[in-house]
Amino acid sequence: MSDSEGDKLTEVTFRDFTPENEAELRLLNSAIFPIRYSDKFYVECAAAGRVTQLAYVGTELVGGIACRLELTADKSGARMYIMTVGVLAPYRNGAIGTRLLQHALNEGRADTFLQDAYLHVQSNNDDAIAFYTRFGFKRDQLVLNYYKRLDPPDAVVLKLDLKEWKVNTIEGVEYGGEDKGPQHAHRQPQQMPPPTEEILSTTCS
């Protein structure tokens, strides 16, 4: 975790996740995370629409936020699950992770069907917990033995009511497509089983 409020902004271009850049995201994830993500992970990234976003410096993919949408139990709304937020090491301290999260929350707030955003963080990852707390996330519960291959194995669930999020302008970002601001596309929230470590090891940088 290296984004901080005093970071100098690195100019970036945000692009939607598409079949054309899926291979780039796979390479990025392999460079940042200790887990090989399944094909299902990328299907869910695509289904989430513009809340999943990739960050480029020039033509190089340097970071991304990957989300999935889940129907609530009563199907009255949906939740945004933040699967990963990551930035390549040479580009950290440029507030790229911060702005990727801002983008996803802006998009989530614009879609009235989405109720909240949440994620799991390893219980001893104080930097990550502090990072999300800056955005208004609150501790929801402690999940014992959530991680199979990490020590400690417990995870803290952090949650943000999207109605409490104030959409803000994101500085130092250009958008690679025609869309310039928060929009909610026709997305397909799914009734999902409980999350597993293989697709939910969240690291923010």
Side-chain angles (χ1 to χ4, degrees), residues 22 42 48 52 70 89 103 137 146:
E22 179 177 328
Y42 297 96
T52 292
E70 307 171 353
H103 168 90
F137 283 81
Y146 177 77

Side-chain angles (χ1 to χ4, degrees), residues 39 45 62 68 73 78 99 111 119 121 126 164 169 174 188 194:
D39 291 342
C45 286
V62 301
R68 78 170 182 225
R99 288 174 288 167
D111 188 338
L119 71 152
V121 175
D126 294 333
E164 297 179 358
T169 301
E174 292 186 359
Q188 298 297 322

